[in-house]
Amino acid sequence: HLNIGGSYFSTSLSTLRRYEDSKLASLFSGQWEMSKDDQGRCFIDRDGSLFGYVLNFLRDSTLGLPDNFAHLDQLLQEAEYYQIQPLILSLQLAKSRKDRH
């Protein structure tokens, strides 16, 4: 169970470790002591409102954003923080497409 900036998520370790070179995979590798909230959930001080998009990408490797999604830059920052290269590339592509329109 995760607490990302006050938003709660449940997922498997294999999902969090999907991209082995990512910061998330490193954080959940067992090598590091994770901060925990008072309910025992792993705590990461990042934007919880955007983490659902990160988690969905980890689950199926597709970028499922609504047509009117207005937070590409912020989501790209989160992807860069978590160092998920395939998500970074997908967001950069989506951003370039949006900029052309």
Side-chain angles (χ1 to χ4, degrees):
H1 297 282
L2 305 171
N3 174 347
I4 311 294
S7 297
Y8 307 121
F9 300 90
S10 295
T11 191
S12 66
L13 279 176
S14 62
T15 297
L16 295 170
R17 295 177 185 160
R18 179 169 195 151
Y19 296 103
E20 294 176 2
D21 57 345
S22 74
K23 186 172 194 168
L24 275 177
S26 178
L27 286 171
F28 290 95
S29 66
Q31 297 177 12
W32 312 104
E33 185 70 29
M34 290 290 301
S35 295
K36 305 267 182 162
D37 69 9
D38 58 355
Q39 299 295 312
R41 293 176 287 238
C42 294
F43 178 76
I44 299 175
D45 190 16
R46 297 299 295 182
D47 190 332
S49 68
L50 295 174
F51 188 74
Y53 296 107
V54 173
L55 190 55
N56 285 337
F57 186 87
L58 292 173
R59 289 177 173 141
D60 58 20
S61 296
T62 59
L63 185 60
L65 300 176
D67 290 337
N68 60 347
F69 188 73
H71 305 286
L72 276 176
D73 290 330
Q74 294 91 334
L75 186 53
L76 181 56
Q77 285 180 324
E78 294 302 299
E80 289 170 345
Y81 173 80
Y82 293 117
Q83 301 170 3
I84 304 168
Q85 288 302 321
L87 178 55
I88 291 168
L89 294 173
S90 293
L91 288 166
Q92 288 171 336
L93 181 60
K95 192 171 178 318
S96 71
R97 286 181 181 156
K98 182 179 178 186
D99 290 345
R100 281 188 263 155
H101 291 113

